[in-house]
Amino acid sequence: MRLPSFIRPLPTLLGVAGCLVSLLGFHATPSIAEKKGERVYSFNDQGELIQPQGYREWIYVGTPVTPNELNNGKAAFPEFHNVYIHPDHFKKWKKTGAFPDGTILMKELVSVGSKQAVSGAGYFMGEFIGLEATIKDSKRFKSEPGNWAYFSFTQEGKKPTKTTKAMPADKCNFCHQAFAKDDWVFTQYYPVLRAAKPGR
Ligand code: HEC
């Protein structure tokens, strides 16, 4: 298409302006859920958490690994734990250094696939073998310590499920309450969250 000569530079100018706007950070529009203060997760009529989807595209924060070999052959959470936080809540953490009401983190367990690669001996990820979640919700979980509830979609000896009830506090919450660095979350093992925390 031929444009009149005086507006020919316009597309380029608009492009440059667009880039500048993104560079200055003005493109960071809040998601719809964040704007309305809505929850990004949902529960069914039985009060069970519906397995969140798309979490592998959230913000990845770290991968602790507790292999059986280093735990007398019986690690409580064997192998790799890939941890993700929803982008809306990461954004708030980055700004305030706190986890907002409605925060959700997912932890996906991955088996140790191989212990040898061209780079040397070590632990290399195998298959996805488990999925857990934690949610901070002051309305739904007002009686849970810190308002955090814990969920496991995969429990030993049982088939994985698409929905699951919150675990009793004495199974999960107590350990997070006692040992996690920031508000029930083990940020001491998540370099991405540590690096993003303001005032560090
Ligand atoms: C003995 C202590 C302990 C118990 C009990 C425990 N956790 Fe954790 N949890 C950890 C540690 C340590 C981490 C840090 C990452 C890792 O090593 O997996 C963690 C991380 C997590 C995370 C990632 C987000 C975060 O808070 O750091 C989720 C989700 C999670 N645990 C779910 C559960 C569930 C569900 C249960 C109960 C079935 C449970 N945890 C019981 C120690 C515990």
Side-chain angles (χ1 to χ4, degrees):
M1 186 179 66
R2 277 203 61 78
L3 296 167
S5 63
F6 64 95
I7 55 165
R8 255 181 244 152
L10 208 59
T12 321
L13 282 177
L14 284 176
V16 169
C19 286
L20 277 177
V21 167
S22 323
L23 276 177
L24 292 172
F26 293 128
H27 66 300
T29 40
S31 77
I32 294 167
E34 195 191 354
K35 251 192 270 174
K36 292 192 190 154
E38 275 172 8
R39 301 311 195 209
V40 299
Y41 43 81
S42 42
F43 285 80
N44 66 13
D45 294 345
Q46 286 84 55
E48 296 172 328
L49 175 64
I50 298 169
Q51 195 181 109
Q53 300 297 307
Y55 54 86
R56 288 181 200 144
E57 292 163 34
W58 294 3
I59 308 296
Y60 162 80
V61 302
T63 301
V65 51
T66 47
N68 279 326
E69 280 93 339
L70 300 179
N71 292 282
N72 302 322
K74 41 180 192 311
F77 302 95
E79 296 109 12
F80 296 95
H81 321 146
N82 292 350
V83 180
Y84 302 85
I85 184 170
H86 190 280
D88 286 358
H89 312 136
F90 178 73
K91 219 194 284 172
K92 286 266 171 63
W93 164 263
K94 226 170 110 176
K95 215 160 134 195
T96 64
F99 296 108
D101 203 23
T103 291
I104 177 166
L105 293 111
M106 300 295 293
K107 160 165 152 175
E108 188 156 49
L109 308 178
V110 188
S111 65
V112 172
S114 164
K115 293 181 187 160
Q116 188 67 51
V118 282
S119 49
Y123 294 108
F124 300 91
M125 287 189 194
E127 304 302 324
F128 296 119
I129 54 167
L131 187 63
E132 300 191 335
T134 181
I135 290 177
K136 177 183 177 179
D137 191 321
S138 63
K139 288 198 193 82
R140 189 174 277 274
F141 302 118
K142 16 179 198 309
S143 49
E144 296 292 338
N147 301 136
W148 287 96
Y150 294 82
F151 303 86
S152 181
F153 294 98
T154 40
Q155 290 178 40
E156 231 190 303
K158 293 197 189 143
K159 279 176 95 178
T161 54
K162 288 283 167 210
T163 60
T164 189
K165 272 204 176 334
M167 300 288 290
D170 64 352
K171 282 260 175 347
C172 311
N173 189 306
F174 77 96
C175 185
H176 283 246
Q177 178 173 20
F179 300 108
K181 177 95 195 320
D182 281 292
D183 190 8
W184 274 250
V185 181
F186 281 92
T187 53
Q188 65 263 48
Y189 308 128
Y190 309 140
V192 175
L193 289 182
R194 285 205 309 276
K197 192 175 183 175
R200 243 169 63 88

